[in-house]
Amino acid sequence: MNVVVVRLVKKAKRGSKDALMELIMAEKDTMYRLAFTYMGNEHDAMDVLEEMIVRLYENIGQLKKEEAFYSWSKTILVNLCKTTLRKQKKVVLLDNWESSKEEEQLHSTDSNVQQLEIAEMLSILNEHQKEAIQMKYFLDLDYQTIAELTNIPLGTVKSRIFQGLRKMKDFDGGEGDERDRRTIE
Amino acid sequence: MKEIEERLNEEKQRMAVMTAPADFENRLRTALDATPARKTKRRNPFIMMAAVSVLCFLLISYNYNAFAYYGKKIFGFEEIMTGTMKDLNDKGMGQIIDKKTTLSDGTVLTIDGIMTDANQLVMYYTLSNPKGVGELWGDVFNPDKITGFFTNARAGGGMAKVNDSGTEIKGTTYFDPVSPFSKKLTLHFWQGIKNGEGSITFPYDPNKAMQTQIKQSIKEKVKVDKGTITFKTITATPTSTVIEGKMDVDNFDRIHFGFEGVKLIANGKSIDNLGSGVSGSKFDLRFDGLPQELYSLELAFNEFVGYQKLAEQIPLNDDTHHDLEGKDLWVKKVTTTERGVEITIETDENLLLDGVSIQSDDKVTALKTTIGQRLDKKTDRFTSERTMVFDTNSMPEYLLIKGIHYVKKYNQKIEIPVD
């Protein structure tokens, strides 16, 4: 309930850690999925979530509209994920790169084939298209929410998803036909 | 080859059943607990502007009189007015506004009137919709703040009542005080389930604000176990009495007791407490209006959070009672689970153990976390049952406690001189 959220946010603004925990726990699965989508594994996702709650606590005073708590906190989470990924990228050494490839092969048992296929498909996209497609399809978010979380215009979100899907279809052997275009709109 | 969408869809299903790991709460709480408590400082960016404008004001010698009032009585709100507000309304202390606007769902919002003084603004409003206003008026209409010249007054509490046929709501909302320099006020609100923004502007006559009866400094300090509390000022207006001050008390938020144990006594009678707010080191206590004939006024500092140092070594057995300097502690159950050693205890609601660890032979293990708090109503008080988890597998012999945070009786009196 909205009223409950507003009350808790007000409490959290006054410095209550319990209220903030309650707010986060109410949406823990959504938050976790969002972090996982970016980070790709539990370990990194949890690290980012830990950092997120600290940021939320320190900055909640700046949140003007109590009702917007969740979209505000998710935006912070998304930004933290991106910053962390950027930092990680800088320190990936050649050794790690190769060993991580090995790992991938080790993991490619039957149950993971599906995921790998998708990972492979996504890998041909640029960062922005990948982000938008993951949010739209994996997390089932609508265009408006994606635009808010990533802070880009609505039209750009739509076109990134459209371009991304088309690229994946071309890659897939040109199987996509006109019919699929409808699903984008 | 499967269609792309189909494959994306499969991935979506996989994500949809993914849940946060079991240690989610623990990890986030630990991270949060390690963060130093935030000191919120509300800075008022308008203070300088206000000072400048006061000067201008004096220069142009605008004849301003906030202390005279020629108000009107606001009708139809008797049922949701507290005693004091009713008296004031009967005396015609209100301002009739009668401005209407239509909300997104077709409900008509009427601002019937306001009452203002140096402590607050009280707004009286009506929501009406022949199709029904719904049970949760919060979804239809949610007052947020009132803005105006030098004014940014946030909404506090309120009361509302739905009529029998469910087509009309009459309500009041309390706001922070508005500036006497405002001639127009704008109410900002949220409306509908999607929380759209809305606003309505109405004229305001500061000359109709009610006079402040008492505004004086208290400047009294009270020493408590873990710091000091300074009561700085008291502002009494016809609608309410606000006491402001600062505190520096380390364990203030260790128990949920706040300022409940601080009473305002006028002519020997306790004035109703309307609530209190704490923002960083500043606090304000709100009480009802003072009686018109005032002989004596005092602040009774009866109870507040205290700290007692202990050096307890309690032998652990199921269902045993222990005495911690006059406070009850029941040890209900001691078990080992995959989480470690778990000890379920029960104490008074507002008692928190400090520096807890367990001992088996010479090995001491500190408390990892506390889970499953449950409040229980006993005949004369509330108690709290919770389970403490220790990260060890060896069955402990003793529970070690270094101190308790609890509600302590201070019983100090601060007299406030009245003329």
Side-chain angles (χ1 to χ4, degrees), chain B residues 340-361:
Chain B
V341 170
E342 295 190 9
I343 302 177
T344 304
I345 58 161
E346 187 171 349
T347 67
D348 267 3
E349 177 198 4
N350 279 316
L351 188 136
L352 190 82
L353 305 180
D354 186 44
V356 179
S357 48
I358 49 173
Q359 186 181 2
S360 61
D361 298 328

Side-chain angles (χ1 to χ4, degrees), chain A residues 21-35:
Chain A
M21 270 311 288
E22 210 176 322
L23 283 162
I24 297 301
M25 288 308 288
E27 287 270 301
K28 63 171 182 173
D29 290 340
T30 323
M31 296 254 175
Y32 178 68
R33 278 173 212 147
L34 187 57

Side-chain angles (χ1 to χ4, degrees), chain B residues 278-291:
Chain B
V278 176
S279 163
S281 64
K282 286 184 186 164
F283 66 85
D284 59 80
L285 315 179
R286 291 176 178 267
F287 298 91
D288 207 354
L290 296 176

Side-chain angles (χ1 to χ4, degrees), chain B residues 9-190:
Chain B
N9 218 359
E10 279 169 25
E11 181 67 9
K12 175 174 128 189
Q13 317 252 307
R14 203 178 63 82
M15 284 302 287
V17 294
M18 181 185 279
T19 52
D23 63 348
F24 185 92
E25 181 169 10
N26 244 330
R27 286 195 55 179
L28 262 62
R29 191 175 284 281
T30 314
L32 190 56
D33 284 346
T35 314
R38 184 164 45 87
K39 301 258 177 202
T40 45
K41 270 195 197 131
R42 265 201 216 157
R43 275 204 204 92
N44 191 342
F46 295 116
I47 280 182
M48 278 312 289
M49 273 168 74
V52 170
S53 83
V54 164
L55 273 175
C56 296
F57 218 59
L58 292 171
L59 284 173
I60 58 168
S61 72
Y62 174 73
N63 189 3
Y64 169 74
N65 184 1
F67 300 134
Y69 38 83
Y70 326 94
K72 291 264 168 56
K73 187 173 171 180
I74 302 163
F75 288 101
F77 289 88
E78 290 72 17
E79 278 187 88
I80 49 166
M81 280 185 181
T82 58
T84 309
M85 298 307 294
K86 217 164 172 172
D87 283 352
L88 293 169
N89 190 38
D90 285 345
K91 287 182 194 149
M93 300 292 189
Q95 276 188 54
I96 307 286
I97 304 288
D98 201 26
K99 269 271 220 171
K100 288 183 201 318
T101 185
T102 307
L103 304 181
S104 54
D105 71 335
T107 301
V108 175
L109 163 70
T110 311
I111 308 293
D112 297 277
I114 55 172
M115 255 190 223
T116 58
D117 63 24
N119 280 343
Q120 62 184 346
L121 177 150
V122 186
M123 179 184 80
Y124 296 86
Y125 65 90
T126 307
L127 294 169
S128 57
N129 190 341
K131 284 186 240 156
V133 282
E135 276 175 28
L136 289 156
W137 56 85
D139 274 351
V140 179
F141 172 65
N142 234 331
D144 180 33
K145 61 182 175 184
I146 286 180
T147 58
F149 193 57
F150 292 129
T151 296
N152 187 9
R154 304 214 63 101
M159 270 176 280
K161 192 167 186 296
V162 192
N163 69 349
D164 293 338
S165 54
T167 53
E168 187 182 86
I169 287 169
K170 288 223 172 250
T172 61
T173 304
Y174 294 76
F175 292 85
D176 292 342
V178 295
S179 153
F181 301 107
S182 302
K183 298 275 181 188
K184 260 191 205 169
L185 296 173
T186 303
L187 167 73
H188 300 264
F189 53 86
W190 304 98

